[in-house]
Amino acid sequence: MSQKIIIQEAPFRMQDEYQKLKSVTRAVGAVAIFVGVVRDINDGADVHGLHLEHYPGMTEREIGKILAMAEDRWPLHAATVIHRVGALDPGDEIVLVGIAAGHRGDAFAACEFVIDYLKTRATFWKKEQTSEGEGWLTTREADLSAAATWEE
Amino acid sequence: MSQKIIIQEAPFRMQDEYQKLKSVTRAVGAVAIFVGVVRDINDGADVHGLHLEHYPGMTEREIGKILAMAEDRWPLHAATVIHRVGALDPGDEIVLVGIAAGHRGDAFAACEFVIDYLKTRATFWKKEQTSEGEGWLTTREADLSAAATWEE
Amino acid sequence: MVKIVFFASIREVLGCASLDLNIGKGVSLSRLVAMLGEQRGELWCVALTAENVRVAVNQELVQGDPLLSIGDEIAFFPPVTGG
Amino acid sequence: MVKIVFFASIREVLGCASLDLNIGKGVSLSRLVAMLGEQRGELWCVALTAENVRVAVNQELVQGDPLLSIGDEIAFFPPVTGG
């Protein structure tokens, strides 16, 4: 499996990432891509912006482990994870997870698996600026249970 | 929910479709996109090309019904289905299904639901040119069972 | 008059994409198929009654043997294989 | 010498992103935290032993109270919230 893991401040281009994924081999029949976007609202408060911090080195290792787990579970041709850090505004992309596979079931499952694990294992932290002030986010229960479903 | 259903011979651009999906409202937090690509091999035979035919009018109605079912099941902000017809080569995109939602679980589920139902309900037919000759494809068992899982 | 359309392998086997047919009131789908068989030969009868043939009336899939109305669009096609 | 790094809310509470500390052989993680508390005050002890603090040694999450080695990188951070 071809893989790409990037942590960057700069925006990414969907088209470029899609082209790379689909072009790794002519055996690719399915590409599933997930993009997370900064919403203008969270838990009822207006969000003005986010600041994303990470642990350089460990983040890439953790994402690498998640991709290795995905590759063990499903036959995949390529995987891309791009996660942005730094200052982000509502409407900005935070994260892209893309999977290329022969068949769509594998692409969908692996894509959702990777983002579910990334949410609970990769060393990123979000600080949110809202109309009620600024604060570090805490882990969402929904994210913990999403990752837990893969362990059943 | 904002929706777009297009059947066309021309290629589509991932970036354009993604931008439309994510821009329908600032409440979009998750975009899931699936793209189906013509593989160079199918059931062991080299594929040289495909010809895709459809039932104009009925195809759009069937896809409209599938999107309506998806909207009943999950809270969604936007859905796009683009399906190509005519002559396609290996590596060409066949279909794009894109879903924008507040949360990723809804976007993933709806995206997979729509492509699973499209595969068994939308009036498209593929004729394949392989090294062993030309022939109409028959429905894959895997596609029937994928759609059936949503009815449980 | 009804409009009859054929797709994919059925269109190819019959060598026909669409035709118009004059029918009276109260003609059933099975009667329509029988009429086509009588007019056009055994091949048509076989192709249109094969086990996996799908039929749509006015772009809605139908099952059983519905009665047809003047102006209906009747479509015959094999199981779909898109996506 | 070990390198100690802090992230997110812990970094902010302590007002410190990283520091180097001289330790001898056979020092455990809990002993390291106790040393930081002795040197830098009660705030550090509280912040680094709070229930949901995660600890990584050389960029691998650890549990329990491992022994540290010279040259280790020890990280303290809250539960992750990326994606």
Side-chain angles (χ1 to χ4, degrees):
Chain A
M1 182 181 78
S2 155
Q3 76 175 51
K4 173 177 171 180
I5 298 169
I6 307 263
I7 317 296
Q8 64 183 25
E9 294 203 3
F12 47 79
R13 264 180 65 79
M14 187 70 165
Q15 185 73 29
D16 300 341
E17 303 313 323
Y18 167 69
Q19 282 299 338
K20 274 173 215 149
L21 284 165
K22 76 156 268 205
S23 306
V24 289
T25 149
R26 297 186 87 186
V28 170
V31 179
I33 299 186
F34 170 78
V35 177
V37 178
V38 182
R39 301 171 75 202
D40 65 355
I41 195 158
N42 190 21
D43 289 336
D46 290 341
V47 176
H48 303 152
L50 276 187
H51 185 85
L52 259 146
E53 171 174 334
H54 82 121
Y55 183 174
M58 182 161 175
T59 310
E60 292 86 344
R61 288 164 64 114
E62 288 296 315
I63 296 172
K65 287 185 206 167
I66 295 167
L67 293 186
M69 286 193 290
E71 197 179 1
D72 280 348
R73 288 192 177 214
W74 299 282
L76 307 177
H77 294 310
T80 296
V81 175
I82 305 179
H83 202 297
R84 294 179 66 193
V85 291
L88 297 176
D89 294 320
D92 283 351
E93 285 86 2
I94 307 176
V95 61
L96 177 148
V97 176
I99 301 284
H103 298 286
R104 75 183 185 286
D106 299 325
F108 271 114
C111 191
E112 194 165 9
F113 174 91
V114 171
I115 182 68
D116 283 353
Y117 270 85
L118 185 149
K119 283 251 175 195
T120 57
R121 299 203 177 182
T123 43
F124 295 100
W125 300 275
K126 278 189 195 125
K127 190 175 196 177
E128 206 172 58
Q129 288 93 41
T130 75
S131 42
E132 292 164 16
E134 177 176 87
W136 294 96
L137 295 187
T138 51
T139 311
R140 291 174 61 225
E141 268 309 314
D143 289 333
L144 294 174
S145 57
T149 57
W150 296 104
E151 285 160 27
E152 278 162 13
Chain B
M1 182 182 78
S2 155
Q3 77 174 53
K4 172 177 172 180
I5 299 169
I6 307 264
I7 317 296
Q8 65 182 24
E9 296 203 2
F12 48 78
R13 265 180 65 80
M14 187 70 164
Q15 185 73 29
D16 299 342
E17 303 313 323
Y18 166 69
Q19 283 298 338
K20 275 173 213 148
L21 284 165
K22 74 157 268 203
S23 306
V24 289
T25 149
R26 298 186 88 188
V28 171
V31 178
I33 299 187
F34 170 78
V35 176
V37 178
V38 182
R39 300 170 75 201
D40 65 355
I41 195 157
N42 190 21
D43 288 338
D46 289 340
V47 175
H48 304 152
L50 277 187
H51 185 85
L52 260 147
E53 171 176 335
H54 81 122
Y55 185 174
M58 182 162 174
T59 309
E60 291 84 346
R61 288 165 64 115
E62 288 296 314
I63 296 172
K65 286 186 208 168
I66 295 167
L67 293 186
M69 285 193 290
E71 197 178 2
D72 279 349
R73 288 190 177 215
W74 299 282
L76 307 177
H77 293 309
T80 296
V81 175
I82 304 179
H83 203 297
R84 293 178 66 191
V85 290
L88 297 178
D89 294 321
D92 282 351
E93 285 87 2
I94 308 176
V95 61
L96 177 147
V97 175
I99 301 285
H103 297 287
R104 75 183 184 285
D106 299 325
F108 271 114
C111 190
E112 194 164 12
F113 174 92
V114 170
I115 183 67
D116 283 352
Y117 270 85
L118 185 149
K119 283 251 173 194
T120 57
R121 300 203 176 183
T123 44
F124 295 100
W125 300 276
K126 277 189 196 126
K127 190 175 196 176
E128 205 172 58
Q129 289 93 41
T130 74
S131 42
E132 292 164 16
E134 177 175 87
W136 294 96
L137 295 186
T138 52
T139 311
R140 291 174 63 226
E141 268 309 313
D143 288 333
L144 294 175
S145 57
T149 56
W150 296 105
E151 285 160 27
E152 278 162 14
Chain C
M1 185 106 94
V2 293
K3 181 180 185 188
I4 311 175
V5 293
F6 308 100
F7 292 98
S9 53
I10 296 178
R11 176 180 51 70
E12 279 196 348
V13 165
L14 301 180
C16 178
S18 78
L19 60 88
D20 292 331
L21 192 71
N22 274 311
I23 63 167
K25 286 190 176 175
V27 168
S28 68
L29 177 61
S30 60
R31 179 70 198 119
L32 179 86
V33 171
M35 286 167 68
L36 287 169
E38 286 155 19
Q39 288 179 17
R40 309 217 165 205
E42 180 64 12
L43 174 67
W44 284 60
C45 212
V46 172
L48 299 182
T49 58
E51 195 194 352
N52 66 0
V53 172
R54 268 57 166 164
V55 184
V57 175
N58 299 327
Q59 305 187 351
E60 293 281 348
L61 272 182
V62 295
Q63 306 221 303
D65 191 20
L67 291 182
L68 304 173
S69 303
I70 309 298
D72 278 353
E73 177 176 292
I74 299 109
F76 295 86
F77 48 81
V80 302
T81 55
Chain D
M1 184 109 93
V2 293
K3 182 180 183 188
I4 311 175
V5 292
F6 307 99
F7 292 98
S9 53
I10 296 178
R11 176 180 50 70
E12 279 196 349
V13 165
L14 301 181
C16 177
S18 78
L19 60 88
D20 292 331
L21 193 71
N22 275 309
I23 63 168
K25 286 190 173 176
V27 168
S28 68
L29 177 61
S30 60
R31 177 72 198 116
L32 179 85
V33 171
M35 286 167 69
L36 287 169
E38 287 155 19
Q39 288 180 17
R40 307 214 167 208
E42 180 64 13
L43 173 68
W44 283 61
C45 213
V46 171
L48 299 182
T49 58
E51 195 194 352
N52 67 359
V53 172
R54 268 58 168 162
V55 183
V57 175
N58 299 326
Q59 305 187 351
E60 293 282 347
L61 272 182
V62 294
Q63 307 221 302
D65 190 22
L67 291 182
L68 303 173
S69 303
I70 307 299
D72 279 352
E73 177 175 290
I74 299 111
F76 294 86
F77 48 80
V80 303
T81 54

